Amino acid sequence: MASHLTLFTLLHVWSCLFEHAAASLAAWTYGVGAPQLITQDAATGKIFHSLCNSNGTTPIFPANDTASLSLTLPPKNGTSLAGIGYFDSGTGANTASIWYLNENNQIINALFKCDWTGHFVPASTPNQWIVSSGHPVFPPSGLAAVNLGPDAGYRVYFHDPHKATSILRYTTADGWDIGGNASQDIVNMMPISAGFTDTQRITIVCGRGPSNIEVSTLQNNETWAISTFPQVLNKVGPSHDLIPTNNTHRANITFNATAGQTWALEGWDGSANGIGLTFNDDSTRNIFYIGNDSLLHHVSESNGGWQQSPSQDIQAWPPADGPNAQFATTYDFNHNQVWIYYHSNGRLVQAYQSGKDKWEPSSRLATYNDTVIPESDSDSDSDSGLSTGAKAGIGVGVGVGALALLSLAAFFFVCRKQGKEDEKRAEAEAATAAAASSYQPPSQPPSQPPSSFTGSPTPTYAAGGGVQGQWMNGQWVQVAPQMKPEAQWQEQYSYVPTPAPQPIVHEMPSQQITHEMPGETTLQELPANHYEPAERRS
């Protein structure tokens, strides 16, 4: 038994060594103003953010402690990041909900609001929660999140220990809980991206391996259809005429060896550390990645399939600082706008599509508001033609005169010094007051679907803080810390075939729900391998 455990543990560690890290960057838009960007600093582990009141189309990114998130539940180094933003009409401020992994590989949700200086401050007390307790996460897993609106809430996508794509679901009625799998297929690349134009047709993309990308598409809020490209999958079912879904066991998700493959992904070797999904105004989907050639690549949906799209020149898409580099993507499909952020020549840059197939020259992210015009240098030392002696005489005379003037000026300076300090202090106070009074929060973005900018109220979290627990039917249930079950890992997290779809039930039976502090109520804990029936997956 000991040798079996040791071998299994070594195999598990070995597989982790060859997983490609998910991106430690995330971006989103509020519908107005510049996009929002967050990234983890590799040296300190802190999460830096762009100024949340940046105007125009390019955010200001200080990249230092002045614009870092205050986190009492710290992220692990190398964590993946996900985030969404919305305008909260109650507070009159842009609000950000972000997700990351801690050292225990638990998913943390943190909520922040933008203050008038453009910095994020906690939106509530507490403002950070463990939302994945009881649901194991594969350590290098990527994260992706979407906001489906005030009632439907959030969906967060991640990889479980089997590398299947799983769902965390939040609604104001039920809180956080597992939403099953979007795909049981094994993927060997951790980055995930997700998006939608219709809340009933969400798309999730991730790299499947050295040659292919996998796409999971929600079908009428019931099942997820699974497809890959450039290679296609075999049909399933008794007659082999059905598209694989999230109900299809991984062993039955296989490539069609007889289907001809007429193209290959440029610069793709299965090692990409980022993947991005965007939509056009006609709901056409686009996928971006940085390849092993350090260049940005684009694949677009066409006639029911996918095709490689032409690359842009280096003015629009400058080379990344390394092959398969990390990056973050966000979009506004209503206006065919796309923003992509990555490191090039040592700096964060923005690639920006301002309209359909119209890419602007890339730009470096400013670290401060650099619209102030610098003073011009004037080094115009001209030869006056005077002799050295004449210049010396003039210098002595000027020196004597200057001393006399300085003596006279010193008297007035001492008398007026205190007055000027008082005047400067008053001016500074007036400027601060003027800035605060002139700050205008952005107008509320569109909130009716289909829209990726659906507004959402502040989640009605019960008190949970940093206490380990999980959401059950709207209540936070405290649980004891769990040790890693290495000896029973395979058995505990093994899959049970999903039952056939049943009539859809959208809501839990009506019941009286009380919100209590942790420790005041003891409720039965969900088993670690609990997955909801297919009819509740979305």
Side-chain angles (χ1 to χ4, degrees), residues 390-455:
K391 291 179 180 179
I394 293 174
V396 171
V398 170
V400 173
L403 286 174
L405 290 174
L406 286 173
S407 299
L408 183 63
F411 172 77
F412 293 101
F413 175 77
V414 172
C415 294
R416 299 184 58 187
K417 181 178 180 181
Q418 186 62 43
K420 283 186 173 291
E421 289 179 352
D422 294 340
E423 183 180 346
K424 288 180 180 179
R425 187 180 301 108
E427 290 177 355
E429 292 174 353
T432 301
S437 62
S438 63
Y439 171 68
Q440 296 295 327
S443 59
Q444 187 169 4
S447 59
Q448 297 298 321
S451 171
S452 60
F453 306 125
T454 47

Side-chain angles (χ1 to χ4, degrees), residues 15-16 19-22 76 78 80 101 105 137-142 159 190-191:
S15 68
C16 288
E19 297 303 330
H20 299 286
K76 71 175 185 179
S80 53
L101 297 176
N105 297 308
V137 180
F138 194 50
S141 174
H159 294 304
M190 293 298 99

Side-chain angles (χ1 to χ4, degrees), residues 154-463:
Y154 302 142
R155 300 296 183 272
V156 179
Y157 307 105
F158 66 98
H159 294 304
D160 69 10
H162 276 291
K163 307 179 191 177
T165 306
S166 298
I167 307 168
L168 269 176
R169 176 178 54 203
Y170 173 83
T171 64
T172 54
D174 297 330
W176 287 99
D177 203 355
I178 196 70
N181 294 124
S183 171
Q184 294 188 35
D185 193 21
I186 299 174
V187 295
N188 291 317
M189 295 177 59
M190 293 298 99
I192 309 176
S193 188
F196 65 92
T197 57
D198 182 342
T199 58
Q200 304 300 309
R201 194 171 181 267
I202 304 168
T203 298
I204 306 171
V205 298
C206 55
R208 192 181 192 271
S211 303
N212 295 279
I213 291 175
E214 181 167 297
V215 180
S216 301
T217 306
L218 185 62
Q219 305 293 302
N220 298 321
N221 210 22
E222 296 180 10
T223 59
W224 293 83
I226 313 300
S227 63
T228 60
F229 67 86
Q231 290 179 277
V232 298
L233 298 175
N234 283 312
K235 298 293 182 66
V236 297
S239 301
H240 299 283
D241 58 351
L242 301 176
I243 296 174
T245 70
N246 57 313
N247 294 322
T248 304
H249 191 273
R250 65 189 57 196
N252 298 322
I253 302 177
T254 58
F255 286 120
N256 187 335
T258 62
Q261 181 180 339
T262 59
W263 64 289
L265 293 167
E266 296 175 355
W268 180 275
D269 60 5
S271 302
N273 289 306
I275 192 166
L277 172 69
T278 71
F279 289 81
N280 296 339
D281 58 358
D282 59 0
S283 296
T284 299
R285 296 175 291 186
N286 305 276
I287 295 174
F288 294 88
Y289 62 91
I290 294 176
N292 56 15
D293 53 5
S294 302
L295 299 177
L296 186 62
H297 294 277
H298 176 203
V299 182
S300 58
E301 193 175 21
S302 177
N303 299 321
W306 295 86
Q307 65 179 15
Q308 195 89 48
S309 296
S311 296
Q312 304 297 312
D313 58 34
I314 61 173
Q315 281 70 40
W317 292 0
D321 281 346
N324 302 307
Q326 297 185 359
F327 71 98
T329 305
T330 188
Y331 65 96
D332 173 358
F333 75 88
N334 285 313
H335 301 94
N336 292 308
Q337 291 178 301
V338 174
W339 294 264
I340 301 176
Y341 300 96
Y342 57 96
H343 285 91
S344 178
N345 199 23
R347 290 281 300 275
L348 268 173
V349 298
Q350 172 182 278
Y352 173 52
Q353 178 182 279
S354 60
K356 192 170 184 179
D357 299 325
K358 182 182 179 182
W359 290 88
E360 304 294 337
S362 64
S363 57
R364 289 183 173 184
L365 297 193
T367 57
Y368 60 95
N369 189 342
D370 56 0
T371 57
V372 178
I373 301 175
E375 294 183 2
S376 59
D377 296 330
S378 57
D379 295 330
S380 55
D381 294 336
S382 58
D383 188 358
S384 64
L386 296 176
S387 67
T388 301
K391 291 179 180 179
I394 293 174
V396 171
V398 170
V400 173
L403 286 174
L405 290 174
L406 286 173
S407 299
L408 183 63
F411 172 77
F412 293 101
F413 175 77
V414 172
C415 294
R416 299 184 58 187
K417 181 178 180 181
Q418 186 62 43
K420 283 186 173 291
E421 289 179 352
D422 294 340
E423 183 180 346
K424 288 180 180 179
R425 187 180 301 108
E427 290 177 355
E429 292 174 353
T432 301
S437 62
S438 63
Y439 171 68
Q440 296 295 327
S443 59
Q444 187 169 4
S447 59
Q448 297 298 321
S451 171
S452 60
F453 306 125
T454 47
S456 177
T458 301
T460 53
Y461 294 108

Side-chain angles (χ1 to χ4, degrees), residues 79 100-108 130-135 137 143 468-469:
T79 180
Y100 58 89
L101 297 176
N102 66 4
E103 290 292 345
N104 296 321
N105 297 308
Q106 297 168 311
I107 299 176
I108 309 297
I130 300 171
V131 296
S132 66
S133 291
H135 308 303
V137 180
L143 296 173
Q468 187 175 15

